[in-house]
Amino acid sequence: MLEEIRTTEQDDLVINVGPQHPSTHGVLHLVITLNGETIKKVEPHLGYVHRSIEKMCESLTYRQFILTTSRMDYLSAHINNHCCVLCVEKGLQLDVPPRAQVIRILMDELTRIASHVLWWGAFAMDLGAITPFFHAFREREVINDIMEETCGTRLTMNYMMPGGVMYDLHPNFQKRVHEFIKLFKSKLPEYHELVTNNVIFQERTKGVGMLSYEDAISYGCSGPAARGSGVSSDIRKLYPYEIYNQLQFEECLEYGCDSFARYQVRMNEMMQSLSIVEQLIDNIPEGDIQAKTKAVIKLPKGEFYSRVESARGEFGVYIVSEGGTTPYRIKFRSPGFSNLSALDQMARGQKIGDLVAMMGSLDLVIPDIDR
Amino acid sequence: MFNEELLTALPGIQSTSSFEDGGEWLTVYTTDWLHLAKKLRKHPDLLFDYLFCLTCVDWKTHLTMVYHLSSTVHRHNIVVKSKLDRDNPEIESVSHIWKTAEFHEREVFELFGVNFLHHPDLRNLILPEDWERYPLRKDYEDPVNMIKL
């Protein structure tokens, strides 16, 4: 810390935001160099929830390690699990029954809606509006209840397994999802009325946290953070997995490059996810929910990489296998880590009061960044 | 097919790099990495502008750097690997070519002890500043915070 202060100019002020700060949504520590009110540099300090998950996974079997990923990006646990099972299936060259594929996509998209809804509430709260937070949790609760019925848990689902899914859907699943679709469609206009069309909100997000097309690519941004700058990066479209290539949905691109553009991408994505759920909910094929796998999975010697579109961007799993029952080395490419690296670029030259709007628009989940 | 295209597009590299089975893997000598990285980024037929994964693997006898690259223009992917000496691992930083590498290289630096030459700010990112030894290496044992099961 002392050194940092010395390297800055005499009139500069160095302040710490976090690690305990309500707007960081976790334990993120930012060291900010200020000149008056203008940000000169933002330096993230990470690791407050670092659990060395990659090292832990080296001593877990291919069925066990999937569970640790639910604890990384806890808002899109299903999607993280999905990426892991895809990677293991790639190694085993396993075909997943159609019913399991559809169930997986349904779960993924419901998770994406839940994650975006929570982000919407939290983002509005960051900017000083408390009410949207309660609206957001009301709708998210419905999804959590649906998840609880089928998966047994509300947050860390661990529902996917190599070859399929753990259990069949709950008999109430279709009925309750239909109810949710109806409810959410009636609530979404409220969201726009409350926040999107709010003049104060627009003033605080438009032109704030500019990230150019080139920078978004160079910083490895993905998900809404990249699509807000017009970078086409939806893995579901570019490298389709499961049956995404048979579904009708659009990649949401915005070209504003600012926080408001990233906001709009997520709002539009919720509609797209809802449309995917609608397409599939009445067309779940009958059949097995699991392919036959051995009790103890051994991956052949080699290296495998799989990528999925999580709620925050591209989530990747890289497994190096030596042919044993545990991975030799595992690497999780977390979207938040790369997105956070662009924060410094966004914030330079902007006012300190806008920093929270920039951070909120990146949708950071700290355990996902620290791993 | 892609490999051959790549080889013709990269004159001067063939002699020192070799393609492995599977198509998209490319192994390169450490000393050639910076030269190749610039080519991969700039060549109009390649334009690998998106570095989405950068990591390292400890093979007990040596370390291997692994770079996953893709192009947002041509939509192709490539994986570049480079073998490092385990006792004195050094490789050129690519943080000025792909800006995201700055964070990823800091992570690899603290977890594997790889020294990235010409990196603008090589410090610990996740671990405390005074952390000793490199947790993701295979011979790392931590008696206090046991993580082996």
Side-chain angles (χ1 to χ4, degrees), chain A residues 54-142:
Chain A
E54 289 173 12
K55 182 86 175 175
M56 257 196 277
C57 288
E58 286 175 12
S59 47
L60 295 174
T61 68
Y62 289 112
R63 283 188 198 281
Q64 291 170 333
F65 90 94
I66 297 163
L67 312 192
T68 62
T69 56
S70 308
R71 275 86 185 163
M72 284 163 50
D73 187 348
Y74 49 81
L75 292 179
S76 56
H78 264 308
I79 310 181
N80 290 4
N81 296 163
H82 197 166
C83 192
C84 297
V85 297
L86 279 178
C87 202
V88 175
E89 281 158 10
K90 213 181 218 177
L92 294 172
Q93 293 180 324
L94 203 64
D95 287 325
V96 181
R99 184 175 173 85
Q101 293 193 18
V102 170
I103 293 176
R104 281 179 181 181
I105 291 185
L106 275 171
M107 289 303 184
D108 276 8
E109 296 309 322
L110 285 173
T111 308
R112 198 184 313 279
I113 297 173
S115 172
H116 282 354
V117 165
L118 178 66
W119 160 83
W120 174 80
F123 186 41
M125 196 168 70
D126 285 346
L127 298 175
I130 304 291
T131 317
F133 196 68
F134 298 106
H135 284 251
F137 266 76
R138 186 183 58 198
E139 269 76 73
R140 182 171 171 267
E141 192 67 18
V142 180

XYZ file of all heavy atoms in Angstrom, chain A residues 54-142:
724
model
N -9.549 -24.953 -7.886
C -8.856 -25.709 -8.930
C -7.963 -26.782 -8.326
O -7.869 -27.888 -8.832
C -8.050 -24.752 -9.818
C -8.955 -23.905 -10.692
C -8.218 -22.826 -11.460
O -6.983 -22.846 -11.506
O -8.892 -21.958 -12.034
N -7.299 -26.444 -7.225
C -6.435 -27.418 -6.551
C -7.275 -28.518 -5.896
O -6.935 -29.691 -5.952
C -5.585 -26.702 -5.511
C -4.596 -27.579 -4.770
C -3.305 -27.720 -5.523
C -2.278 -28.502 -4.706
N -1.064 -28.739 -5.472
N -8.384 -28.108 -5.285
C -9.273 -29.081 -4.653
C -9.771 -30.107 -5.658
O -9.840 -31.295 -5.364
C -10.477 -28.343 -4.074
C -10.444 -28.152 -2.596
S -12.062 -27.715 -2.020
C -12.132 -25.986 -2.293
N -10.108 -29.614 -6.861
C -10.676 -30.493 -7.871
C -9.696 -31.581 -8.292
O -10.103 -32.631 -8.772
C -11.102 -29.690 -9.099
S -12.540 -28.700 -8.792
N -8.402 -31.317 -8.110
C -7.413 -32.315 -8.524
C -7.510 -33.581 -7.680
O -6.996 -34.625 -8.069
C -5.996 -31.720 -8.439
C -5.721 -30.735 -9.547
C -4.377 -30.045 -9.419
O -3.558 -30.481 -8.593
O -4.155 -29.065 -10.145
N -8.122 -33.484 -6.503
C -8.274 -34.706 -5.708
C -9.733 -35.144 -5.606
O -10.082 -35.933 -4.749
C -7.665 -34.510 -4.324
O -8.097 -33.303 -3.779
N -10.578 -34.623 -6.477
C -11.981 -35.049 -6.515
C -12.241 -35.825 -7.800
O -11.637 -35.540 -8.832
C -12.918 -33.839 -6.450
C -12.895 -33.016 -5.168
C -13.754 -31.778 -5.329
C -13.370 -33.830 -3.990
N -13.161 -36.783 -7.745
C -13.451 -37.570 -8.944
C -14.310 -36.745 -9.903
O -14.791 -35.662 -9.573
C -14.209 -38.864 -8.604
O -15.506 -38.505 -8.149
C -13.482 -39.657 -7.542
N -14.505 -37.312 -11.101
C -15.250 -36.584 -12.128
C -16.728 -36.420 -11.784
O -17.425 -35.643 -12.419
C -15.092 -37.275 -13.485
C -13.705 -37.109 -14.044
C -12.841 -38.188 -14.157
C -13.248 -35.862 -14.438
C -11.560 -38.031 -14.646
C -11.970 -35.695 -14.929
C -11.132 -36.779 -15.035
O -9.872 -36.602 -15.506
N -17.222 -37.154 -10.826
C -18.592 -36.893 -10.371
C -18.607 -35.841 -9.266
O -19.560 -35.096 -9.125
C -19.227 -38.177 -9.835
C -19.674 -39.118 -10.914
C -20.473 -40.268 -10.341
N -20.546 -41.365 -11.282
C -21.374 -41.390 -12.316
N -22.199 -40.398 -12.513
N -21.366 -42.412 -13.151
N -17.540 -35.837 -8.486
C -17.529 -34.949 -7.309
C -17.194 -33.504 -7.657
O -17.730 -32.580 -7.064
C -16.513 -35.470 -6.280
C -16.921 -36.771 -5.642
C -15.809 -37.386 -4.835
O -14.635 -37.162 -5.111
N -16.173 -38.176 -3.845
N -16.276 -33.297 -8.612
C -15.759 -31.943 -8.803
C -16.832 -30.979 -9.296
O -16.731 -29.772 -9.088
C -14.546 -31.948 -9.752
C -14.873 -31.794 -11.207
C -14.855 -30.542 -11.811
C -15.198 -32.883 -11.970
C -15.158 -30.391 -13.150
C -15.503 -32.745 -13.309
C -15.487 -31.509 -13.904
N -17.887 -31.547 -9.897
C -18.963 -30.701 -10.421
C -19.614 -29.896 -9.291
O -20.012 -28.753 -9.468
C -20.000 -31.580 -11.149
C -19.326 -32.260 -12.342
C -21.188 -30.785 -11.604
C -20.082 -33.422 -12.896
N -19.657 -30.512 -8.108
C -20.331 -29.849 -6.990
C -19.618 -28.567 -6.567
O -20.251 -27.632 -6.087
C -20.446 -30.793 -5.782
C -20.957 -32.202 -6.015
C -21.266 -32.856 -4.691
C -22.202 -32.240 -6.876
N -18.305 -28.534 -6.730
C -17.587 -27.329 -6.294
C -17.941 -26.127 -7.158
O -17.879 -24.996 -6.695
C -16.068 -27.531 -6.355
O -15.698 -27.779 -7.701
C -15.616 -28.660 -5.480
N -18.324 -26.377 -8.428
C -18.577 -25.245 -9.314
C -19.876 -24.531 -8.965
O -20.064 -23.384 -9.343
C -18.624 -25.679 -10.781
O -19.599 -26.688 -10.924
C -17.294 -26.179 -11.239
N -20.776 -25.203 -8.250
C -21.994 -24.517 -7.807
C -21.658 -23.404 -6.831
O -22.410 -22.456 -6.673
C -22.940 -25.483 -7.106
O -23.159 -26.600 -7.894
N -20.527 -23.570 -6.158
C -20.137 -22.582 -5.142
C -19.350 -21.429 -5.749
O -18.955 -20.529 -5.035
C -19.289 -23.253 -4.063
C -20.090 -23.913 -2.978
C -20.464 -25.302 -3.347
N -21.333 -25.921 -2.353
C -22.055 -26.989 -2.588
N -22.076 -27.524 -3.793
N -22.796 -27.505 -1.646
N -19.082 -21.478 -7.029
C -18.344 -20.378 -7.643
C -19.291 -19.263 -8.032
O -19.375 -18.251 -7.372
C -17.555 -20.893 -8.846
C -16.336 -21.662 -8.420
S -15.652 -22.663 -9.711
C -15.543 -21.508 -11.029
N -19.999 -19.474 -9.137
C -20.999 -18.484 -9.517
C -22.326 -18.982 -8.969
O -23.070 -19.671 -9.645
C -21.034 -18.361 -11.046
C -21.920 -17.227 -11.488
O -22.660 -16.727 -10.629
O -21.885 -16.860 -12.656
N -22.612 -18.608 -7.720
C -23.755 -19.214 -7.041
C -25.081 -18.775 -7.629
O -26.118 -19.319 -7.306
C -23.710 -18.922 -5.538
C -23.474 -17.466 -5.209
C -24.504 -16.563 -5.243
C -22.197 -17.014 -4.893
C -24.286 -15.225 -4.974
C -21.968 -15.679 -4.618
C -23.020 -14.787 -4.661
O -22.796 -13.468 -4.402
N -25.087 -17.764 -8.495
C -26.348 -17.348 -9.101
C -26.650 -18.109 -10.379
O -27.774 -18.082 -10.862
C -26.332 -15.844 -9.386
C -26.322 -14.970 -8.147
C -26.275 -13.513 -8.545
C -27.518 -15.233 -7.281
N -25.649 -18.725 -10.974
C -25.959 -19.572 -12.129
C -25.292 -20.922 -11.958
O -24.529 -21.373 -12.801
C -25.574 -18.898 -13.450
O -24.221 -18.537 -13.447
N -25.611 -21.572 -10.848
C -25.012 -22.867 -10.517
C -25.283 -23.914 -11.594
O -24.392 -24.670 -11.972
C -25.544 -23.337 -9.174
N -26.520 -23.918 -12.114
C -26.870 -24.897 -13.139
C -25.953 -24.798 -14.342
O -25.521 -25.798 -14.903
C -28.300 -24.638 -13.633
C -29.303 -25.482 -12.938
N -29.186 -26.836 -12.842
C -30.441 -25.164 -12.298
C -30.214 -27.311 -12.173
N -30.990 -26.319 -11.828
N -25.670 -23.564 -14.746
C -24.915 -23.369 -15.982
C -23.460 -23.780 -15.768
O -22.837 -24.372 -16.649
C -25.053 -21.913 -16.469
C -26.539 -21.525 -16.501
C -24.432 -21.741 -17.834
C -26.833 -20.141 -16.968
N -22.928 -23.484 -14.579
C -21.573 -23.946 -14.278
C -21.503 -25.468 -14.298
O -20.583 -26.050 -14.886
C -21.150 -23.463 -12.887
C -20.919 -21.975 -12.835
O -21.141 -21.283 -13.814
N -20.481 -21.491 -11.709
N -22.462 -26.105 -13.649
C -22.496 -27.568 -13.637
C -22.594 -28.103 -15.051
O -21.959 -29.098 -15.410
C -23.719 -28.083 -12.850
C -23.680 -27.715 -11.379
O -24.672 -27.770 -10.695
N -22.511 -27.332 -10.888
N -23.384 -27.409 -15.857
C -23.594 -27.832 -17.228
C -22.274 -27.886 -17.999
O -22.001 -28.824 -18.721
C -24.564 -26.853 -17.902
C -25.167 -27.376 -19.169
N -26.239 -26.791 -19.756
C -24.838 -28.421 -19.940
C -26.557 -27.464 -20.843
N -25.711 -28.451 -20.977
N -21.461 -26.848 -17.804
C -20.196 -26.792 -18.518
C -19.296 -27.959 -18.105
O -18.647 -28.576 -18.942
C -19.511 -25.466 -18.231
S -18.124 -25.151 -19.304
N -19.283 -28.271 -16.816
C -18.447 -29.374 -16.328
C -18.887 -30.702 -16.924
O -18.058 -31.480 -17.391
C -18.541 -29.470 -14.811
S -17.939 -28.029 -13.991
N -20.201 -30.952 -16.911
C -20.640 -32.246 -17.438
C -20.408 -32.316 -18.942
O -20.071 -33.375 -19.467
C -22.119 -32.551 -17.092
C -22.300 -32.665 -15.606
C -23.082 -31.561 -17.678
N -20.505 -31.190 -19.632
C -20.223 -31.192 -21.069
C -18.772 -31.592 -21.323
O -18.471 -32.342 -22.252
C -20.471 -29.811 -21.672
C -21.897 -29.428 -22.004
C -21.932 -28.008 -22.550
C -22.505 -30.376 -23.012
N -17.875 -31.082 -20.472
C -16.457 -31.366 -20.647
C -16.183 -32.848 -20.396
O -15.451 -33.490 -21.152
C -15.637 -30.490 -19.701
S -13.954 -30.277 -20.216
N -16.790 -33.405 -19.349
C -16.600 -34.827 -19.055
C -17.202 -35.677 -20.174
O -16.608 -36.661 -20.614
C -17.227 -35.184 -17.687
C -17.153 -36.675 -17.432
C -16.524 -34.434 -16.570
N -18.378 -35.266 -20.654
C -19.014 -36.015 -21.736
C -18.193 -35.964 -23.013
O -18.160 -36.913 -23.789
C -20.420 -35.464 -21.997
C -21.431 -35.972 -20.990
C -22.645 -35.076 -20.888
O -22.788 -34.168 -21.734
O -23.440 -35.278 -19.960
N -17.529 -34.844 -23.235
C -16.659 -34.716 -24.391
C -15.540 -35.750 -24.318
O -15.220 -36.414 -25.288
C -16.056 -33.306 -24.405
C -15.820 -32.740 -25.784
C -15.210 -31.351 -25.644
C -15.721 -30.385 -26.682
N -15.166 -29.049 -26.487
N -14.985 -35.899 -23.117
C -13.916 -36.872 -22.919
C -14.397 -38.299 -23.089
O -13.697 -39.138 -23.640
N -15.600 -38.565 -22.619
C -16.144 -39.923 -22.696
C -16.812 -40.192 -24.039
O -17.185 -41.319 -24.318
C -17.174 -40.144 -21.585
C -16.681 -40.122 -20.148
C -17.849 -40.156 -19.191
C -15.762 -41.304 -19.880
N -16.996 -39.164 -24.831
C -17.746 -39.237 -26.095
C -19.117 -39.862 -25.869
O -19.499 -40.856 -26.482
C -16.949 -40.011 -27.145
C -15.710 -39.240 -27.527
C -14.882 -39.928 -28.561
O -14.789 -41.152 -28.552
N -14.273 -39.168 -29.438
N -19.816 -39.264 -24.964
C -21.084 -39.794 -24.496
C -22.226 -39.027 -25.155
O -22.164 -37.810 -25.282
C -21.136 -39.569 -22.974
C -22.038 -40.439 -22.139
C -21.575 -41.878 -22.197
C -22.000 -39.944 -20.696
N -23.257 -39.756 -25.584
C -24.442 -39.094 -26.115
C -25.483 -38.990 -25.015
O -25.783 -39.961 -24.328
C -25.007 -39.882 -27.299
C -24.125 -39.720 -28.522
O -23.562 -38.618 -28.689
O -23.975 -40.689 -29.272
N -26.035 -37.804 -24.873
C -27.006 -37.564 -23.805
C -28.404 -37.756 -24.379
O -28.694 -37.288 -25.475
C -26.829 -36.132 -23.262
C -27.791 -35.860 -22.138
C -25.404 -35.933 -22.787
N -29.299 -38.440 -23.663
C -30.672 -38.627 -24.167
C -31.356 -37.277 -24.393
O -31.101 -36.323 -23.660
C -31.363 -39.398 -23.047
C -30.302 -39.890 -22.154
C -29.088 -39.079 -22.362
N -32.244 -37.206 -25.405
C -32.886 -35.925 -25.740
C -33.640 -35.316 -24.568
O -33.641 -34.097 -24.384
C -33.850 -36.276 -26.876
C -33.538 -37.639 -27.307
C -32.630 -38.279 -26.327
N -34.269 -36.144 -23.753
C -35.024 -35.605 -22.624
C -34.102 -34.853 -21.665
O -34.420 -33.748 -21.213
C -35.736 -36.742 -21.871
C -36.612 -36.235 -20.736
C -37.390 -37.379 -20.088
N -38.091 -36.929 -18.898
C -39.286 -36.366 -18.889
N -39.906 -36.162 -20.021
N -39.855 -36.000 -17.772
N -32.943 -35.444 -21.406
C -31.999 -34.786 -20.489
C -31.511 -33.475 -21.080
O -31.349 -32.480 -20.368
C -30.826 -35.715 -20.211
N -31.291 -33.463 -22.402
C -30.808 -32.228 -23.038
C -31.821 -31.101 -22.872
O -31.453 -29.963 -22.558
C -30.558 -32.469 -24.531
C -29.426 -33.421 -24.802
C -28.991 -33.389 -26.257
O -29.285 -32.464 -26.986
N -28.281 -34.409 -26.673
N -33.084 -31.437 -23.096
C -34.126 -30.405 -22.989
C -34.258 -29.930 -21.547
O -34.358 -28.724 -21.276
C -35.465 -30.944 -23.539
C -36.587 -29.985 -23.222
C -35.361 -31.164 -25.038
N -34.198 -30.885 -20.610
C -34.298 -30.491 -19.192
C -33.150 -29.558 -18.829
O -33.339 -28.538 -18.161
C -34.296 -31.743 -18.287
C -35.561 -32.567 -18.506
C -34.194 -31.339 -16.819
C -35.599 -33.864 -17.744
N -31.970 -29.898 -19.321
C -30.809 -29.053 -19.012
C -31.003 -27.632 -19.526
O -30.723 -26.656 -18.824
C -29.555 -29.641 -19.666
C -28.963 -30.798 -18.917
C -27.765 -31.299 -19.671
N -27.155 -32.426 -19.011
C -26.074 -33.027 -19.478
N -25.513 -32.619 -20.598
N -25.555 -34.044 -18.834
N -31.481 -27.517 -20.759
C -31.657 -26.170 -21.325
C -32.733 -25.408 -20.556
O -32.576 -24.228 -20.245
C -32.001 -26.266 -22.831
C -30.787 -26.775 -23.581
C -32.427 -24.911 -23.373
C -30.942 -26.815 -25.067
N -33.813 -26.113 -20.202
C -34.863 -25.451 -19.429
C -34.305 -24.902 -18.125
O -34.564 -23.756 -17.742
C -35.985 -26.448 -19.113
C -37.050 -26.645 -20.178
C -37.940 -27.810 -19.820
C -37.887 -25.380 -20.301
N -33.514 -25.720 -17.451
C -32.930 -25.294 -16.176
C -31.972 -24.129 -16.382
O -31.970 -23.170 -15.615
C -32.183 -26.469 -15.531
C -33.099 -27.538 -15.009
S -34.261 -26.882 -13.828
C -35.119 -28.317 -13.287
N -31.155 -24.222 -17.433
C -30.209 -23.147 -17.723
C -30.925 -21.824 -17.917
O -30.533 -20.793 -17.374
C -29.433 -23.457 -19.019
C -28.258 -24.361 -18.766
O -28.143 -24.855 -17.637
O -27.461 -24.574 -19.690
N -31.988 -21.865 -18.713
C -32.649 -20.599 -19.053
C -33.419 -20.031 -17.868
O -33.452 -18.826 -17.665
C -33.568 -20.785 -20.268
C -32.837 -21.154 -21.546
C -31.681 -20.230 -21.881
O -31.779 -19.002 -21.669
O -30.638 -20.730 -22.352
N -34.004 -20.923 -17.059
C -34.663 -20.422 -15.844
C -33.632 -19.793 -14.915
O -33.869 -18.741 -14.312
C -35.399 -21.566 -15.125
C -36.705 -22.022 -15.765
C -37.232 -23.260 -15.064
C -37.751 -20.923 -15.714
N -32.463 -20.442 -14.842
C -31.399 -19.880 -14.013
C -30.971 -18.518 -14.525
O -30.737 -17.588 -13.749
C -30.182 -20.817 -14.020
O -30.606 -22.122 -13.692
C -29.133 -20.363 -13.036
N -30.869 -18.411 -15.854
C -30.443 -17.131 -16.437
C -31.446 -16.028 -16.083
O -31.058 -14.912 -15.727
C -30.324 -17.276 -17.962
C -29.487 -16.181 -18.618
C -29.480 -16.319 -20.131
N -29.223 -17.679 -20.572
C -28.006 -18.213 -20.653
N -26.968 -17.503 -20.357
N -27.860 -19.452 -21.044
N -32.729 -16.361 -16.159
C -33.736 -15.345 -15.806
C -33.587 -14.966 -14.339
O -33.545 -13.784 -13.987
C -35.165 -15.869 -16.091
C -35.355 -16.129 -17.586
C -36.205 -14.871 -15.609
C -36.657 -16.797 -17.936
N -33.441 -15.982 -13.478
C -33.328 -15.700 -12.038
C -32.115 -14.825 -11.751
O -32.179 -13.880 -10.969
C -33.226 -17.012 -11.261
N -31.008 -15.146 -12.441
C -29.778 -14.392 -12.216
C -29.917 -12.954 -12.692
O -29.521 -12.012 -12.008
C -28.631 -15.086 -12.953
O -27.489 -14.294 -12.915
N -30.499 -12.780 -13.884
C -30.668 -11.429 -14.418
C -31.656 -10.622 -13.579
O -31.488 -9.426 -13.392
C -31.143 -11.485 -15.874
C -30.050 -11.788 -16.850
N -28.728 -11.879 -16.484
C -30.076 -12.012 -18.189
C -27.997 -12.148 -17.548
N -28.785 -12.238 -18.601
N -32.703 -11.289 -13.086
C -33.681 -10.576 -12.260
C -33.015 -10.066 -10.988
O -33.186 -8.904 -10.596
C -34.879 -11.495 -11.920
C -35.696 -10.907 -10.799
C -35.752 -11.699 -13.132
N -32.217 -10.922 -10.379
C -31.530 -10.502 -9.161
C -30.569 -9.360 -9.464
O -30.492 -8.389 -8.719
C -30.768 -11.684 -8.550
C -29.970 -11.341 -7.299
C -30.894 -10.955 -6.167
C -29.092 -12.481 -6.876
N -29.858 -9.484 -10.604
C -28.942 -8.409 -10.981
C -29.700 -7.098 -11.166
O -29.243 -6.041 -10.740
C -28.209 -8.776 -12.278
C -27.643 -7.559 -12.942
C -26.468 -6.953 -12.660
C -28.283 -6.782 -13.956
N -26.331 -5.840 -13.440
C -27.425 -5.708 -14.234
C -29.493 -6.887 -14.642
C -27.740 -4.747 -15.180
C -29.805 -5.942 -15.585
C -28.935 -4.879 -15.852
N -30.869 -7.203 -11.799
C -31.657 -5.992 -12.051
C -31.995 -5.291 -10.744
O -31.832 -4.070 -10.610
C -32.930 -6.377 -12.809
C -33.896 -5.257 -13.001
C -33.832 -4.285 -13.942
C -35.068 -4.988 -12.230
N -34.883 -3.424 -13.803
C -35.662 -3.830 -12.768
C -35.671 -5.619 -11.151
C -36.836 -3.294 -12.240
C -36.835 -5.092 -10.628
C -37.406 -3.930 -11.181
N -32.434 -6.080 -9.751
C -32.767 -5.493 -8.460
C -31.553 -4.894 -7.774
O -31.600 -3.785 -7.246
N -30.457 -5.634 -7.837
C -29.244 -5.174 -7.154
C -28.662 -3.938 -7.828
O -28.168 -3.027 -7.171
C -28.221 -6.300 -7.133
N -28.733 -3.908 -9.142
C -28.202 -2.773 -9.898
C -28.981 -1.502 -9.573
O -28.409 -0.443 -9.331
C -28.280 -3.088 -11.398
C -27.624 -2.064 -12.281
C -26.416 -1.487 -11.931
C -28.197 -1.701 -13.495
C -25.807 -0.551 -12.754
C -27.590 -0.776 -14.315
C -26.392 -0.193 -13.948
N -30.310 -1.650 -9.539
C -31.137 -0.490 -9.197
C -30.842 -0.047 -7.773
O -30.807 1.144 -7.479
C -32.610 -0.835 -9.368
N -30.597 -1.018 -6.891
C -30.301 -0.658 -5.504
C -28.959 0.066 -5.408
O -28.804 1.006 -4.638
C -30.285 -1.896 -4.620
C -30.362 -1.547 -3.154
S -30.685 -2.954 -2.099
C -29.156 -3.826 -2.228
N -27.990 -0.378 -6.211
C -26.697 0.317 -6.246
C -26.883 1.790 -6.591
O -26.149 2.656 -6.115
C -25.788 -0.305 -7.317
C -25.232 -1.635 -6.885
O -25.333 -1.939 -5.689
O -24.714 -2.360 -7.739
N -27.857 2.062 -7.450
C -28.064 3.428 -7.898
C -29.068 4.169 -7.016
O -29.527 5.241 -7.361
C -28.538 3.438 -9.354
C -27.529 2.835 -10.332
C -28.124 2.760 -11.717
C -26.253 3.638 -10.365
N -29.448 3.550 -5.914
C -30.241 4.270 -4.937
C -31.723 3.963 -4.925
O -32.463 4.589 -4.180
N -32.180 3.024 -5.740
C -33.604 2.679 -5.734
C -33.792 1.370 -4.976
O -33.278 0.341 -5.383
C -34.115 2.541 -7.166
N -34.520 1.413 -3.885
C -34.647 0.223 -3.042
C -35.777 -0.684 -3.525
O -35.660 -1.895 -3.512
C -34.904 0.625 -1.570
C -33.800 1.557 -1.076
C -35.011 -0.595 -0.679
C -32.455 0.929 -0.913
N -36.875 -0.091 -3.990
C -38.073 -0.880 -4.323
C -37.813 -2.006 -5.334
O -38.269 -3.122 -5.129
C -39.189 0.045 -4.840
O -39.233 1.190 -4.011
C -40.513 -0.658 -4.828
N -37.083 -1.738 -6.449
C -36.886 -2.815 -7.433
C -36.300 -4.080 -6.831
O -36.590 -5.183 -7.296
C -35.912 -2.193 -8.441
C -36.130 -0.739 -8.332
C -36.470 -0.482 -6.907
N -35.500 -3.931 -5.785
C -34.886 -5.092 -5.151
C -35.951 -6.064 -4.654
O -35.831 -7.273 -4.811
C -34.008 -4.605 -3.998
C -33.030 -5.633 -3.508
C -31.969 -6.029 -4.305
C -33.154 -6.186 -2.248
C -31.060 -6.962 -3.853
C -32.245 -7.129 -1.793
C -31.191 -7.514 -2.596
N -37.007 -5.527 -4.085
C -38.071 -6.390 -3.566
C -38.885 -7.003 -4.699
O -39.280 -8.162 -4.632
C -38.963 -5.599 -2.606
C -38.214 -5.099 -1.408
C -37.874 -3.763 -1.286
C -37.797 -5.989 -0.432
C -37.153 -3.321 -0.190
C -37.071 -5.551 0.662
C -36.749 -4.208 0.785
N -39.111 -6.209 -5.739
C -39.786 -6.762 -6.927
C -38.986 -7.933 -7.471
O -39.535 -8.970 -7.816
C -39.918 -5.681 -8.010
C -40.997 -4.692 -7.733
N -42.167 -4.662 -8.460
C -41.107 -3.713 -6.821
C -42.941 -3.688 -7.992
N -42.302 -3.088 -6.995
N -37.657 -7.735 -7.572
C -36.795 -8.759 -8.163
C -36.839 -10.039 -7.335
O -36.983 -11.132 -7.877
C -35.369 -8.240 -8.252
N -36.756 -9.892 -6.028
C -36.738 -11.102 -5.201
C -38.070 -11.831 -5.222
O -38.111 -13.042 -5.071
C -36.333 -10.747 -3.756
C -34.863 -10.920 -3.546
C -33.980 -9.982 -4.043
C -34.363 -12.034 -2.906
C -32.614 -10.152 -3.878
C -32.997 -12.203 -2.743
C -32.122 -11.262 -3.225
N -39.154 -11.082 -5.433
C -40.458 -11.719 -5.498
C -40.526 -12.688 -6.675
O -40.955 -13.830 -6.533
C -41.520 -10.617 -5.654
C -42.942 -11.091 -5.601
C -43.869 -9.927 -5.848
N -43.574 -9.298 -7.143
C -43.963 -8.079 -7.490
N -44.653 -7.343 -6.653
N -43.660 -7.585 -8.672
N -40.023 -12.257 -7.842
C -40.075 -13.126 -9.017
C -39.034 -14.244 -8.942
O -39.266 -15.360 -9.375
C -39.853 -12.309 -10.298
C -41.129 -11.787 -10.905
C -41.671 -10.586 -10.132
O -41.078 -9.502 -10.233
O -42.682 -10.758 -9.428
N -37.880 -13.895 -8.372
C -36.826 -14.904 -8.280
C -37.250 -16.044 -7.359
O -36.898 -17.201 -7.581
C -35.556 -14.237 -7.758
C -34.384 -15.162 -7.663
C -33.115 -14.397 -7.359
N -32.034 -15.317 -7.057
C -31.727 -15.701 -5.841
N -32.402 -15.252 -4.807
N -30.730 -16.541 -5.642
N -38.005 -15.692 -6.355
C -38.490 -16.689 -5.396
C -39.280 -17.796 -6.104
O -39.168 -18.968 -5.759
C -39.372 -15.964 -4.373
C -39.721 -16.768 -3.153
C -38.509 -17.066 -2.281
O -37.482 -16.375 -2.428
O -38.595 -18.008 -1.489
N -40.066 -17.401 -7.108
C -40.882 -18.384 -7.823
C -39.975 -19.390 -8.518
O -40.208 -20.608 -8.485
C -41.800 -17.673 -8.842
C -42.648 -18.682 -9.582
C -42.676 -16.647 -8.146
